[in-house]
Amino acid sequence: MAAVSSVTAISTSAKERLIEALNEDLAHEYQAVIMYIQYSAVVAGPHRSWLSEFFSGEVSGELSHCQFLAQKIVALGGVPVTEPKSVAEATDPVEMLRNALAAENDAISRYVEHAEFAGQLGEHGLRLELEDFIKEETSHKEEIEKILRTWR
């Protein structure tokens, strides 16, 4: 009987750590939504038109991530956070792109770690969803890198 209790406690602890990790991801996704909306609105200069469109085009994917994460947190028995991570304000387009690149790199790193953890816990559907997020964030990262490489 004691062994069963021990296993249950470990499972509960692991589930709590997973919920905490997903809430961290959710707070960062909220940050990304705000950052891309902010940058889309305030970007100025000769590249404003296409950069504004680029930034605003990222919002729907980030919102989709928010919705999935919030639903999964609740399904696991948790409560989704409501506070975003702080957004780095910027007025220079290159600074905006560098901030966005840093956010994408951070997201990829977190999702790799959290996907592996989900897999270890037997949450294979979640692992696959987070791997899809990794693929999407990697595409965003590569697009930003291409823009920055040719910026004049």
Side-chain angles (χ1 to χ4, degrees), residues 12-58:
T12 300
S13 174
K15 186 189 287 189
E16 288 171 356
R17 286 195 320 270
L18 181 58
I19 290 168
E20 185 177 304
L22 295 177
N23 263 319
E24 178 186 6
D25 293 333
L26 181 58
H28 280 277
E29 290 294 346
Y30 290 156
Q31 172 197 44
V33 168
I34 294 166
M35 178 185 68
Y36 284 128
I37 289 172
Q38 168 77 2
Y39 291 178
S40 174
V42 302
V43 67
H47 305 290
R48 177 184 168 25
S49 179
W50 69 268
L51 270 178
S52 179
E53 186 176 317
F54 173 77
F55 289 136
S56 65
E58 298 296 312

Side-chain angles (χ1 to χ4, degrees), residues 117-137:
F117 185 48
Q120 292 167 2
L121 297 179
E123 287 285 340
H124 301 296
L126 174 58
R127 178 184 52 81
L128 290 171
E129 189 70 35
L130 295 178
E131 288 174 354
D132 281 346
F133 287 8
I134 294 165
K135 182 177 74 172
E136 292 170 18
E137 303 292 3

Side-chain angles (χ1 to χ4, degrees), residues 91-110:
T91 55
D92 177 72
V94 172
E95 183 182 6
M96 290 176 183
L97 289 163
R98 286 185 181 142
N99 290 345
L101 180 60
E104 297 296 351
N105 281 325
D106 180 59
I108 293 164
S109 176
R110 277 183 294 94

Side-chain angles (χ1 to χ4, degrees), residues 41 46 54-55 64 71-72 78 92-94 111-113 146 149:
F54 173 77
F55 289 136
S64 175
Q71 292 296 329
K72 188 61 179 182
D92 177 72
V94 172
Y111 284 135
V112 166
E113 179 182 333
K146 288 182 212 172
R149 246 193 327 265

